[in-house]
Amino acid sequence: MSSIAASVPLPAPRRAWLTDLPVLLVAVVWGASYLAAKGITTTHTVVAVLVLRFAVVLPALAVAGWRGLRALNAAQWRGAGILGLILSGIFLLETYGVVHTSATNAGLIISLTMILTPLAEAAVTRTRPQALGPARAGGTPMPRAFLAAAGLSVTGVVLLTQGGGFTAPSLGDLLMLLAAVARTVHVLAMSRIRAVRSADSLSLTTVQLGSAVAVFALLATLPGTGASPWSVALDFGPREWAGLLFLSVFCTLFAFFVQMWAVRRTSPSRVSLLLGTEPLWAAAAGIAIAGDRPGVLGIAGAILVLAGTSWGRRAADESAR
């Protein structure tokens, strides 16, 4: 590997950008998802909206990936099912969290995934989260520059979200913190479950979403979980359906297909760092659509997020080499 990199020094960065750009686009649509979710979801419709959000894309996925689904072995089905269970927990935590807290707090707290993922990856691979000695178990030491870049990005997120003001800690804040932990688990699980590495990404994505739909559909039958998916669908107008389709096609299907594709070609920490720009795009959507004004602190925060992400990406490249 090192001889190839040395003899062909230029294509590697180009290939890295081809991987990074789709992941960055995922961060953009996820940033816009806060407004979309708030526009169509209430406390009593969270589970119903999640059922509809996932069920909308499943038929197309099943048809497109039918051959790949039939080729999956038992271990791959189990691995994808586990990822789907984690995914269902992420969406439940995030959706209930957004309903019960402000978008400012939600964007700030979920960005902690940037810090949690490299630390968790270092713990799993038994490496220190600094460049101190050789890696074990095939891992690579986490460079100090990467942690510094992640800290810079989080500082930027703090400044970026400061303009909206903070509220006292709430149930929603706790749920968003748990969602950040769940996101970290999901990213690491995709890279650590061996059975899913050799399987078709489309098939694995279909099984994941199918598992999540099963969880949500089961929850929808339980008393006290809110309105049924059928009644919510009947009450939706054109605006609500447009928001649901955005969440389904772009924020669900496209986003997680790209995430699974990218994590196989780069490190979980690098994917997490790029996805960590999500609060920046959430602020951009608020400015362009909702008329929010971030002020001087918000602009400074946006610059720090971009600088930290770029710095961390270079640090990850150098560490991998």
Side-chain angles (χ1 to χ4, degrees), residues 19-314:
T19 302
D20 290 348
L21 286 176
V23 177
L24 192 60
L25 185 56
V26 169
V28 173
V29 298
W30 275 357
S33 70
Y34 287 102
L35 286 178
K38 278 186 171 293
I40 66 173
T41 311
T42 67
T43 304
H44 301 291
T45 64
V46 168
V47 174
V49 167
L50 288 174
V51 171
L52 295 172
R53 173 177 179 174
F54 282 72
V56 164
V57 298
L58 268 182
L61 278 175
V63 171
W66 178 249
R67 183 175 299 178
L69 287 171
R70 294 180 61 184
L72 294 178
N73 58 41
Q76 290 168 336
W77 276 95
R78 287 194 298 270
I82 291 172
L83 292 176
L85 292 178
I86 300 172
L87 184 62
S88 67
I90 292 172
F91 274 98
L92 284 168
L93 291 168
E94 286 187 356
T95 308
Y96 275 114
V98 168
V99 169
H100 289 288
T101 191
S102 66
T104 296
N105 283 23
L108 172 60
I109 295 170
I110 203 66
S111 70
L112 294 177
T113 306
M114 285 189 297
I115 295 297
L116 296 176
T117 299
L119 293 177
E121 185 182 14
V124 168
T125 58
R126 297 182 180 181
T127 63
R128 299 182 182 184
Q130 294 178 335
L132 300 176
R136 295 176 57 188
T140 56
M142 184 66 61
R144 291 186 179 92
F146 185 93
L147 294 180
L152 185 66
S153 295
V154 170
T155 301
V157 170
V158 173
L159 294 178
L160 181 66
T161 58
Q162 191 98 6
F166 293 97
T167 62
S170 65
L171 173 62
D173 296 331
L174 176 60
L175 292 175
M176 294 306 299
L177 178 59
L178 293 176
V181 174
R183 278 194 184 192
T184 298
V185 172
H186 189 260
V187 173
L188 290 178
M190 283 192 292
S191 68
R192 301 294 294 181
I193 298 178
R194 293 184 178 182
V196 304
R197 294 179 186 175
S198 59
D200 172 59
S201 294
L202 178 59
S203 301
L204 293 177
T205 301
T206 303
V207 176
Q208 281 194 78
L209 298 186
S211 301
V213 167
V215 171
F216 301 142
L218 177 62
L219 290 176
T221 65
L222 301 178
T225 55
S228 70
W230 178 251
S231 64
V232 170
L234 290 177
D235 288 339
F236 272 2
R239 176 178 172 274
E240 288 77 14
W241 276 109
L244 181 69
L245 290 175
F246 173 76
L247 291 172
S248 299
V249 176
F250 291 98
C251 301
T252 304
L253 176 62
F254 170 77
F256 284 95
F257 181 82
V258 168
Q259 188 179 8
M260 176 167 284
W261 168 81
V263 80
R264 293 176 173 181
R265 290 161 174 79
T266 184
S267 70
S269 296
R270 180 163 169 166
V271 171
S272 177
L273 193 67
L274 289 167
L275 294 179
T277 62
E278 177 185 334
L280 172 65
W281 307 113
I287 293 170
I289 300 174
D292 296 338
R293 295 293 178 265
V296 176
L297 286 180
I299 294 173
I303 294 172
L304 288 181
V305 170
L306 290 175
T309 302
S310 178
W311 183 18
R313 189 181 64 82
R314 289 196 300 272

